[in-house]
């Protein structure tokens, strides 16, 4: 043996069984980090492709910039491509039509459409001034195909074009609706139409850099060099943000959340491994004392413990990386094939360098940080300990136990748990952190559900809406639609904004009134937060409001509208229209207050018999002033997103639960092993198996109960804080004690403690008394 460090490999072989649980803890930490960061990497890759398809792969846009300056910028060595585009009438507020539908005009060059955006979906791009590309919704709105001739109508005259293809640079605007159609033409054709209608042109220059990592620096350089105003230059937040280069504050907050998650995972790993290593060191007190006896210094003992910890990493880190990668493949496969849609581009069997490096680094760093305290503790073991019978784990009882109050074996069990304050603190902190994470992630799930409108029971598959919420839909139209084969529930709603009022609450001088038909009111019960909804039906003086930070109106307020007094009798968490100064009433009450009978919106939920012909029949019932929108695809996408979020959050909580379970099992097993001679002596003087079981159970439940008290106490406070900041703030739902979730946590904690006791008790019972006394 050349040095004391040579004992590491020998000790590893001799104590293979005792080290197994510590190695397992390291594996759990590594696979957890590897899985999280690998899945995040795959998600970013998929999202990057999706965002580029939706928003383009350009990095910055320059408005109101002279052409010579733009040309000079395009010659920079770090610029990859430059394209031009201009839009008009995207708000559909001008009388420009294609067929009978409103038209948004786009003048763009081929570089912008082909290289900077993925605009083309079918056919080809405009090559001549007589060609146009239409948004895909034109197929349904205009019933046209490639090669058809269409006419663009403007106030100064009409121009004929030939359809050369379908697509758009922002499909989300046009997808599902037939009111507004995008018309893409060459820049010369666009300029000609603008000049005919005396409209000034103002093209926008789009720039793509060679390397996105240098784009943010180039933006500042271009601003300074050409003295460009702040409002004339803007970044593509989607592309820049996904690459981590965005200056947008919201995107930076996402980076902060990722950092917090990393710290929490690292902290969980450190606490779990520290507890295991402390127990490991505690049961080898005499061994470290013997090292001191034969000449090892404190620094050599510290180096020994650290090297031993790193030696465990040789096995644990590769295994954790392999299992973590396998878990990543499973999650990605489930998202890709099971959820599909927006996860259809998710790579499945791909290796993530980010995940692998993060897992390996966290495994090593966690072990080194966790080894600090046990290493110092081992170095402080005196040589006298090696030759004495009083190891550090000996029991120090300060007073006699009153047997009438508590059984002695239970007192000893509690004492075993609390005698080492540091070990008790580490185990309590580890259990507490798991419970805190569990409670906080449940808030995230509720927030995700509130963000997705398709989770509402009234969410329609198709909506008919008056342009700018004008009340142009006759109530009889809803009855007509109900008779269409495939149409299920049909509801209507009217809207009137900025109605002057007087109110019992100061600062409220106007409200936005909207009505709900009976089916919509029935569905509103799901989002009821406060009050009684039954008072709203029929022609009553009662209304609903949406409770959140944007709306100053509260339950109990009285409001006078056109001489009619109404009372806000209940509140809901979300509504059909924006919540600012919003009150909701029945259709009968709306007619009495405003004198209006027509709907602003009609929502249709399709049943299982619905076909594309059903959608066409409903579309044919609309006029030119009605916006027809098909929400089926977006609803399905929202549902898939929610299911994926739910799966990932529950998976993460399951991992947290698994860590908690194995941590308490490991801790009790280590504790029993470190005191095996004491238990042998107790059995020798008459303690039976049942008493030993109660003593070990008392130790396990001390850890579990202390962790439960601290975890629930801190977790409830923190989860309430998050709930108020996220759910209550945005949806008005008041926080209530999560009794069911706490009950699940308590049951799991108790089951974990019981499971932790089983194996050590069985091992001690099966060992002869002489074996336990002579155990080293």
């Amino acid at each position: 043996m050349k040095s004391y460090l040579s004992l590491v490999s020998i000790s590893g072989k001799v104590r293979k069984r005792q080290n197994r649980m510590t190695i397992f803890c390291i594996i759990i930490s590594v696979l957890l980090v590897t899985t999280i960061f690998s899945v995040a990497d795959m998600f970013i890759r998929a999202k990057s492709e999706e965002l580029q398809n939706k928003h383009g792969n350009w990095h910055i846009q320059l408005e109101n910039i002279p052409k010579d300056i733009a040309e000079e910028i395009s010659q920079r060595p770090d610029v990859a491509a430059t394209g031009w585009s201009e839009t008009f009438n995207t708000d559909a507020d001008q009388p420009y039509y294609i067929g009978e539908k409103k038209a948004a005009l786009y003048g763009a060059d081929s570089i912008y459409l082909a290289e900077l955006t993925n605009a083309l979906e079918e056919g080809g791009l405009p090559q001549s001034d007589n060609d146009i590309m239409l948004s895909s919704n034109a197929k349904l709105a205009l019933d046209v195909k490639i090669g058809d001739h269409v006419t663009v109508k403007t106030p100064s005259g009409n121009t004929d074009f030939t359809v050369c293809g379908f697509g758009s640079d922002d499909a989300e605007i046009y997808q599902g609706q037939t009111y507004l159609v995008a018309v893409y033409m060459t820049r010369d054709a666009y300029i000609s139409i603008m000049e005919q209608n005396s409209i000034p042109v103002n093209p926008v220059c789009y720039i793509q850099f060679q390397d996105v990592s240098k784009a943010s620096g180039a933006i500042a350089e271009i601003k300074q060099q050409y003295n460009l105003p702040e409002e004339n230059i803007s970044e593509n937040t989607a592309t820049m943000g996904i690459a981590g280069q965005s200056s947008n504050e919201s995107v930076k907050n996402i980076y902060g959340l990722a950092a917090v998650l990393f710290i929490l995972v690292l902290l969980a790993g450190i606490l779990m491994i520290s507890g295991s290593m402390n127990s490991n060191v505690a049961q080898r007190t005499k061994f470290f004392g013997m090292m001191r006896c034969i000449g090892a210094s404190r620094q050599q003992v510290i180096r020994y413990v650290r090297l031993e910890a790193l030696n465990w990493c040789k096995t644990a880190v590769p295994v954790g990386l392999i299992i973590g990668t396998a878990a990543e493949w499973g999650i990605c496969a489930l998202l890709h094939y099971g959820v599909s849609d927006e996860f259809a581009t998710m790579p499945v069997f791909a290796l993530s360098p980010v995940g692998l490096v993060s897992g390996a680094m966290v495994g090593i760093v966690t072990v080194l940080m966790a080894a600090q305290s046990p290493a110092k503790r081992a170095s402080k073991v005196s040589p006298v300990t090696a030759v004495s019978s009083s190891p550090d784990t000996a029991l120090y009882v300060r007073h006699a136990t009153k047997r009438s109050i508590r059984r002695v074996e239970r007192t000893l069990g509690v004492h075993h748990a609390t005698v080492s304050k540091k070990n008790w603190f580490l185990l309590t902190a580890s259990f507490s952190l798991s419970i805190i994470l569990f409670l906080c992630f449940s808030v995230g799930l509720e927030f995700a559900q509130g963000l997705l409108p398709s989770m509402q029971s009234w969410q329609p598959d198709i909506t008919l809406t008056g342009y700018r919420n004008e009340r142009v839909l006759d109530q009889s139209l809803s009855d007509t639609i109900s008779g269409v084969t495939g149409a299920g529930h049909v509801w209507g709603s009217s809207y009137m904004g900025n109605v002057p009022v007087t109110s019992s609450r100061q600062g409220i001088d106007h409200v936005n009134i909207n009505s709900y038909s009976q089916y919509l009111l029935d569905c509103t019960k799901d989002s009821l937060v406060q009050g009684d909804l039954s008072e709203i039906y029929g022609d009553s003086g009662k209304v609903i409001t949406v409770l959140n930070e944007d709306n100053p109106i509260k339950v109990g307020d009285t409001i006078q509208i056109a001489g009619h007094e109404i009372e806000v009798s209940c509140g809901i968490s979300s509504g059909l229209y924006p919540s600012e100064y919003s009150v909701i009433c029945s259709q009968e009450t709306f007619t009495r207050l405003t004198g209006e009978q027509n709907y602003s919106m009609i929502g249709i939920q399709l049943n299982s018999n619905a076909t594309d012909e059903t959608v066409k029949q409903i579309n044919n019932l609309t006029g030119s002033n009605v916006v027809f929108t098909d929400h089926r695809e977006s609803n399905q996408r929202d549902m898939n997103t929610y299911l994926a979020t739910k799966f990932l959050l529950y998976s993460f909580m399951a991992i947290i639960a698994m860590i908690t379970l194995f941590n308490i099992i490991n801790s009790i097993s280590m504790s029993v092993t470190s005191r095996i001679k004491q238990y042998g002596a107790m059995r020798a003087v008459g303690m039976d198996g049942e008493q030993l079981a109660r003593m070990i159970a008392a130790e396990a439940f001390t850890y579990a109960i202390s962790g439960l008290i601290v975890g629930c106490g801190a977790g409830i406070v923190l989860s309430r804080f998050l709930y108020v900041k996220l759910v209550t703030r945005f949806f008005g739902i008041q926080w209530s004690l999560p009794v069911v979730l706490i009950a699940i946590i308590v049951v799991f904690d108790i089951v974990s403690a019981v499971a932790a006791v089983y194996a050590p008790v069985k091992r001690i019972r099966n060992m002869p008394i002489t074996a336990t006394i002579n155990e080293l």
Side-chain angles (χ1 to χ4, degrees), residues 649-700:
L649 287 177
Y650 278 135
S651 297
F652 194 81
M653 287 193 286
I655 293 173
I656 293 172
M658 183 177 67
I659 290 174
T660 303
L661 176 62
F662 283 110
N663 197 9
I664 193 171
I665 290 175
N666 172 52
S667 301
I668 299 302
S669 178
M670 289 287 196
S671 178
V672 169
T673 303
S674 66
R675 295 183 174 88
I676 197 71
K677 290 185 68 174
Q678 296 176 21
Y679 295 144
M682 291 177 186
R683 290 185 65 191
V685 296
M687 180 175 281
D688 58 28
E690 292 298 326
Q691 289 176 307
L692 279 173
R694 284 195 292 269
M695 182 171 58
I696 297 172
E699 181 179 357

Side-chain angles (χ1 to χ4, degrees), residues 139-176:
K139 297 177 185 179
L140 177 62
L142 303 175
D143 192 21
V144 295
K145 59 184 181 297
I146 295 175
D148 286 355
H149 297 283
V150 295
T151 301
V152 175
K153 303 174 183 178
T154 73
S156 64
N158 301 335
T159 306
D160 295 328
F161 292 95
T162 301
V163 179
C164 64
F166 294 99
S168 67
D169 62 345
D170 197 345
E172 289 186 348
I173 295 178
Y174 304 100
Q175 188 177 38

Side-chain angles (χ1 to χ4, degrees), residues 531-554:
D532 184 6
L533 197 63
S534 63
E535 299 178 338
I536 307 299
Y537 292 84
D539 186 4
S540 66
K542 309 291 185 180
V543 296
I544 311 169
T545 194
V546 180
L547 299 176
N548 59 38
E549 64 169 1
D550 298 323
N551 188 14
I553 302 173
K554 305 300 179 185

Side-chain angles (χ1 to χ4, degrees), residues 718-737:
L718 184 57
S719 67
R720 184 184 183 280
F721 172 78
L722 293 175
Y723 198 98
V724 171
K725 289 293 183 181
L726 295 175
V727 181
T728 304
R729 178 181 180 184
F730 291 101
F731 309 112
I733 303 175
Q734 299 300 311
W735 178 85
S736 60
L737 188 67

Side-chain angles (χ1 to χ4, degrees), residues 29 54 185 221 265 429 500 661 688:
S29 296
K54 287 183 178 180
M185 59 189 74
E221 186 179 329
V265 172
L661 176 62
D688 58 28

